[in-house]
Amino acid sequence: MALTRDFKQTVVERVRRDPAFGHALFDEALTLMLGGEPEAARLMLRDLINATVGFEALATRTDKPAKSLHRMFSKHGNPSMDNLATVVGSLKDWLQLSLEVRSSATTRRRPGSSARAPVTPSGSPSAAITRKAAHAAKARLP
């Protein structure tokens, strides 16, 4: 019989053990959001919230009801831009990260041609995060 483990609990334990993993989740969630995959981004942010600050503490930090935050980051959630920015900012502060967003031109083949032409507007932006003090974030986790 195969042993199984709850995915959410595995994520929580990994983020608490390895803050860099939490930073990578945050980076990937923002990259997904900017890349046009909001559902996956919301679910990843939900897992990160559960593994770090928690919904109750996030509610206090953002002045939003915990129940509303749970709905926003559910599979079919639809947070407003203002709410999403508030939550992302709070997570960024909690994780002690800074954000840097870069966009780069992508290329694609023109129909009937082997030449590549820049795609405009530029392709999906990628979010890059930098650690300020990973050890400080780890020390704050319960």
Side-chain angles (χ1 to χ4, degrees):
M1 183 163 118
L3 296 175
T4 61
R5 190 169 180 185
D6 180 56
F7 174 76
K8 291 178 184 178
Q9 187 59 35
T10 301
V11 170
V12 168
E13 290 173 8
R14 175 75 188 272
V15 169
R16 289 182 179 166
R17 188 176 66 246
D18 181 10
F21 183 71
H23 300 165
L25 282 177
F26 186 70
D27 181 59
E28 185 62 22
L30 295 182
T31 300
L32 287 166
M33 182 176 58
L34 295 172
E37 297 184 54
E39 181 181 328
R42 278 192 314 275
L43 297 178
M44 193 169 286
L45 285 171
R46 179 188 65 196
D47 290 341
L48 183 60
I49 292 165
N50 280 321
T52 56
V53 65
F55 277 96
E56 294 300 322
L58 183 62
T60 301
R61 292 173 63 92
T62 60
D63 200 28
K64 308 281 181 209
K67 190 171 182 177
S68 293
L69 291 169
H70 277 285
R71 276 194 304 267
M72 284 182 220
F73 293 97
S74 68
K75 184 175 181 179
H76 299 291
N78 190 18
S80 70
M81 181 58 84
D82 289 344
N83 287 336
L84 188 58
T86 299
V87 169
V88 167
S90 184
L91 281 172
K92 175 188 71 75
D93 293 344
W94 177 267
L95 296 168
Q96 295 186 332
L97 299 172
S98 61
L99 294 178
E100 178 183 312
V101 179
R102 292 183 227 119
S103 62
S104 58
T106 59
T107 58
R108 66 174 176 209
R109 294 189 189 276
R110 292 183 187 170
S113 170
S114 62
R116 291 189 172 264
V119 175
T120 50
S122 66
S124 297
S126 65
I129 59 173
T130 56
R131 280 193 282 181
K132 284 186 179 177
H135 62 282
K138 185 175 183 178
R140 287 192 304 172
L141 293 176

